[in-house]
């Protein structure tokens, strides 16, 4: 079974600074997708960024980018120029041939002035 | 606007009673999912359905039941057999073909006393 591990329960970053959230996963599949979801206090799950395993190029979405290391099974999220609105729970997630999403336990990100 | 509607937002029940959580989507998605969220445990998959009249157990299906009689609807029943039903429940859907990201509803907070 696939597992997703987020080893940082909480992180803090100052406004305008950069922060990196870690995620590792375990799988024997070669074709899969990885996602980062954001859950603000409203508890709505919002897709931040996605990465296809067959693509070597790291995905980017505005201030959000990933560092995808397939051999190391690592998928970290970098948030640049952090804003107060970035404060939320961030979940790393994996989906493969079973077409169901497996989530990590989440990282709570605080953004300070 | 297309989306996923979960109702109600808050639900209270007495121990020993079955309760049904509603999930409706107008995105024309084939696949639908139910997740449970507890503090410190991320999201765990309860049931999922990739097509009408078919569904599969997720990682924590015991004490839950679902039906998928219509493409738009995927209600979840929390039975009295579920030992710890108090939690936040999230419904999601996806296109269902290949690997696609999930779209989430706003969730239902169930409290059983």
């Amino acid at each position: 079974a696939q597992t997703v591990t987020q080893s940082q329960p909480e992180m803090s970053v100052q406004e305008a600074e950069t922060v990196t959230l870690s995620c590792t996963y375990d799988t024997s599949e070669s074709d899969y997708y990885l996602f980062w979801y954001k859950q603000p206090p409203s508890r709505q799950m919002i897709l931040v960024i996605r990465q296809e395993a067959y693509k070597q190029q790291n995905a980017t979405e505005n201030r959000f980018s990933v560092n995808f290391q397939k051999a190391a099974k690592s998928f970290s999220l970098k948030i640049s120029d952090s804003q107060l609105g970035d404060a939320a729970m961030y979940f790393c997630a994996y989906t493969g041939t079973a077409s169901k999403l497996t989530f990590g336990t989440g990282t709570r990100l605080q953004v300070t002035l | 606007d297309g989306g996923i509607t979960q109702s109600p937002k808050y639900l209270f029940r007495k121990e020993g009673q079955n309760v049904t959580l509603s999930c409706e989507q107008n995105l024309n998605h084939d696949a639908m999912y139910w997740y449970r969220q507890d503090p410190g445990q991320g999201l765990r998959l309860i049931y999922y359905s990739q097509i009408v009249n078919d569904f599969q157990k997720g990682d924590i299906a015991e004490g839950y039941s679902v039906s998928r009689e219509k493409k738009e609807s995927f209600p979840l029943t929390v039975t009295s057999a579920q030992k710890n039903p108090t939690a936040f429940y999230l419904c999601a859907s996806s296109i269902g073909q290949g690997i696609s990201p999930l779209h989430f509803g706003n969730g239902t907070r169930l409290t059983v006393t």
Side-chain angles (χ1 to χ4, degrees), chain B residues 5-25:
Chain B
T5 301
Q6 288 187 245
S7 60
K9 188 172 181 178
Y10 299 98
L11 192 53
F12 298 88
R13 279 295 183 271
K14 293 289 187 187
E15 195 173 325
Q17 294 179 335
N18 291 354
V19 58
T20 297
L21 281 60
S22 170
C23 178
E24 304 278 333
Q25 55 100 356

Side-chain angles (χ1 to χ4, degrees), chain A residues 23-78:
Chain A
C23 173
T24 59
Y25 59 95
D26 187 25
T27 184
S28 57
E29 297 179 314
S30 58
D31 187 19
Y32 52 88
Y33 277 49
L34 296 161
F35 303 89
W36 278 98
Y37 279 87
K38 169 185 177 181
Q39 188 180 44
S42 67
R43 305 197 80 169
Q44 172 72 46
M45 294 287 285
I46 302 165
L47 178 64
V48 175
I49 199 165
R50 58 189 272 180
Q51 174 78 44
E52 294 90 336
Y54 64 86
K55 288 188 177 179
Q56 292 186 340
Q57 187 172 5
N58 289 323
T60 62
E61 287 287 344
N62 301 314
R63 298 183 294 106
F64 298 88
S65 62
V66 299
N67 183 4
F68 175 47
Q69 302 287 331
K70 191 172 183 179
K73 295 179 181 169
S74 171
F75 182 60
S76 60
L77 175 70
K78 186 171 82 171

